[in-house]
Amino acid sequence: MFGFLRTLGAVAVSALLLSSPALALDKVTVAGWSQPISEITNLLAEPDKGFFKAKGIDLGYMPGTGGGSAIQNMLTGQADVAFTDPASFYLALDKGEKLIAIYNIYPQNVFNVVSPKERNITKPEDLKGKRIGVYSLSSGTRQNLQVLLHQVGLSEKDVTIEVTGLLNFAPVIQGQVDATAATDTGLHVGMQKGLKDINVIEVKDTLNLPSDIFVVTEETYRTKKDVLKRFLAAYRDSAAWMIAEPEEAARLAVTRAINGRDEATNLAIIKLRNASSVSETTKAKGLGHFDPELMQKGADTFKQLGLIGADLDMGTLVRSDLIPE
C-alpha cells in the first residue's frame, strides 16, 4: 500500500514539474569592445557549453568598436555589463559616470605598437612625427598609445592618428601608416597576413595595467548583486574551460567567431588570450581578482599624464566581492 502511495506521489510530482513553466533565466547582455571574434570564444560558445544557462543567465552579446563604445552602450541601456579596459574606465569616471569594476578579465597588458623595421621605430620617442594606426578612436589601442606618448613627453599632437579598423594591418604593410597600435592577438593575425621584419614596442614595459575588465554602473552593482554573482561565476567557469580545453575552444570558434575559419589560428589566439587571463594575483586568489595597487597606479599615471583630471580612488571603484569563492 505504502509502495503504491509513494509511486503515486512520484508520478504527481513529475506531472507537476512537467506542467510548470521552465524556470525563467535572467537576461544579461555584455557590451563588447569588439565583434564576436575568436579570443572571446568562451562567451561565444554558450550555445554549445551552456555555462551561463547553468547559472540561470540568458547571455547576450552586443558588439562594439572599442572599450569606450562598450561603456557607452551600457550607459545607454543597451547592455548590463561592459567588457572594457581600464583606460576607458578611467576616462568615463573622469567625466562623472558612476561605475564599478567587478572582474579582472585579462590581468596582463597585451597592447603594443608595431612597425616595419625599415621605419626604425624601436622606442616610444621614435613615434614623433609618425602616422600611427589605431582600431578606433574609442579603443584601448588609442588610449594605450597615449600612455606611451606621454611617458616620453609626447602627445597626440606630435603624431598623426589614423583609424584603420579592428585587426587591419593592411595600412602598415602597404606603408599608409608608419606604425599601428595593436594587441598580442592582433599582431599574430597581422603576421599571418604578411606582416614581417617588424619592431614591437610593448606597452606593459611602460605600464602593465589589465587589458580588459568587466564594468557595471553603480546602480546595477547595488541592485543586481545576485544576478552579477551568477554571471561572474559562469564567466569564470567559461574562462577556466577555455584555459583547460583550448583545442575544443578552437574547434567551436570555427562556427562561432566571425574570424574563426582557421582552427590553427584560433588555437594560437586562444592560447595567447589564456596566458593573459592569469597573473600572480589570480594564481593566489583565483581568476578575476584585481591587484588594487596596480589599478590605483594606473589611475594616478593617467592623471599625471594629463589624460584625466580627477583623483580616482580605486579602493572604492574596484570591487571583488561579487567574484565567486
Side-chain angles (χ1 to χ4, degrees):
M1 180 67 175
F2 289 113
F4 171 76
L5 290 176
R6 281 197 297 270
T7 301
L8 184 62
V11 171
V13 170
S14 297
L16 178 61
L17 289 174
L18 288 172
S19 63
S20 299
L23 292 176
L25 301 178
D26 291 301
K27 181 72 174 181
V28 176
T29 298
V30 175
W33 65 266
S34 70
Q35 294 295 314
I37 55 179
S38 55
E39 60 187 78
I40 59 167
T41 295
N42 58 312
L43 286 177
L44 305 181
E46 174 60 9
D48 308 286
K49 304 301 295 184
F51 292 113
F52 293 85
K53 186 177 181 180
K55 300 294 185 182
I57 300 296
D58 177 13
L59 180 67
Y61 183 79
M62 181 178 187
T65 57
S69 75
I71 289 179
Q72 186 58 34
N73 287 336
M74 177 185 68
L75 290 174
T76 56
Q78 299 177 78
D80 308 285
V81 179
F83 192 131
T84 187
D85 57 88
S88 298
F89 179 52
Y90 297 150
L91 292 170
L93 290 169
D94 191 53
K95 294 177 182 177
E97 302 295 350
K98 305 298 183 183
L99 305 173
I100 300 289
I102 60 171
Y103 190 96
N104 193 357
I105 304 171
Y106 306 133
Q108 304 293 338
N109 192 317
V110 302
F111 290 94
N112 52 46
V113 175
V114 181
S115 61
K117 283 189 175 181
E118 63 192 43
R119 302 294 184 186
N120 199 31
I121 300 172
T122 61
K123 55 188 183 299
E125 293 91 335
D126 297 332
L127 294 170
K128 185 175 181 179
K130 300 298 192 293
R131 296 163 298 162
I132 308 169
V134 297
Y135 288 176
S136 78
L137 295 180
S138 65
S139 72
T141 55
R142 181 194 181 192
Q143 291 142 5
N144 279 273
L145 173 61
Q146 290 175 312
V147 169
L148 276 179
L149 294 173
H150 279 283
Q151 287 294 89
V152 294
L154 300 176
S155 72
E156 286 188 335
K157 294 180 181 179
D158 297 303
V159 301
T160 300
I161 301 295
E162 301 281 355
V163 176
T164 54
L166 178 65
L167 301 176
N168 181 14
F169 283 82
V172 74
I173 293 173
Q174 297 168 5
Q176 296 167 1
V177 296
D178 300 298
T180 194
T183 65
D184 55 352
T185 55
L187 176 56
H188 178 83
V189 171
M191 294 178 72
Q192 285 195 316
K193 293 182 177 179
L195 187 64
K196 57 184 178 179
D197 298 325
I198 56 173
N199 290 321
V200 181
I201 301 173
E202 300 282 359
V203 179
K204 66 182 179 183
D205 294 337
T206 299
L207 185 62
N208 193 21
L209 272 178
S211 294
D212 288 296
I213 58 179
F214 280 137
V215 169
V216 296
T217 63
E218 261 185 22
E219 181 181 3
T220 298
Y221 172 80
R222 187 177 64 253
T223 62
K224 296 184 178 180
K225 288 191 175 184
D226 174 67
V227 172
L228 291 175
K229 283 181 179 179
R230 287 185 281 118
F231 167 78
L232 293 182
Y235 182 84
R236 194 167 74 170
D237 287 348
S238 74
W241 160 75
M242 194 161 79
I243 290 172
E245 303 290 346
E247 291 83 5
E248 182 186 6
R251 288 194 297 272
L252 292 178
V254 172
T255 56
R256 296 299 179 186
I258 63 170
N259 64 336
R261 292 182 180 179
D262 186 87
E263 190 173 320
T265 299
N266 295 342
L267 182 59
I269 288 175
I270 285 167
K271 285 184 174 180
L272 283 170
R273 197 47 67 245
N274 286 345
S276 69
S277 300
V278 296
S279 66
E280 292 305 314
T281 298
T282 66
K283 289 175 183 177
K285 298 182 178 180
L287 292 175
H289 279 273
F290 287 94
D291 181 336
E293 292 182 2
L294 188 54
M295 288 293 289
Q296 186 62 56
K297 181 180 179 181
D300 294 343
T301 299
F302 267 59
K303 185 178 181 185
Q304 292 166 7
L305 300 180
L307 296 176
I308 61 174
D311 289 312
L312 302 178
D313 180 9
M314 291 295 106
T316 61
L317 299 170
V318 174
R319 308 284 177 84
S320 296
D321 59 309
L322 303 183
I323 300 174
E325 297 290 335

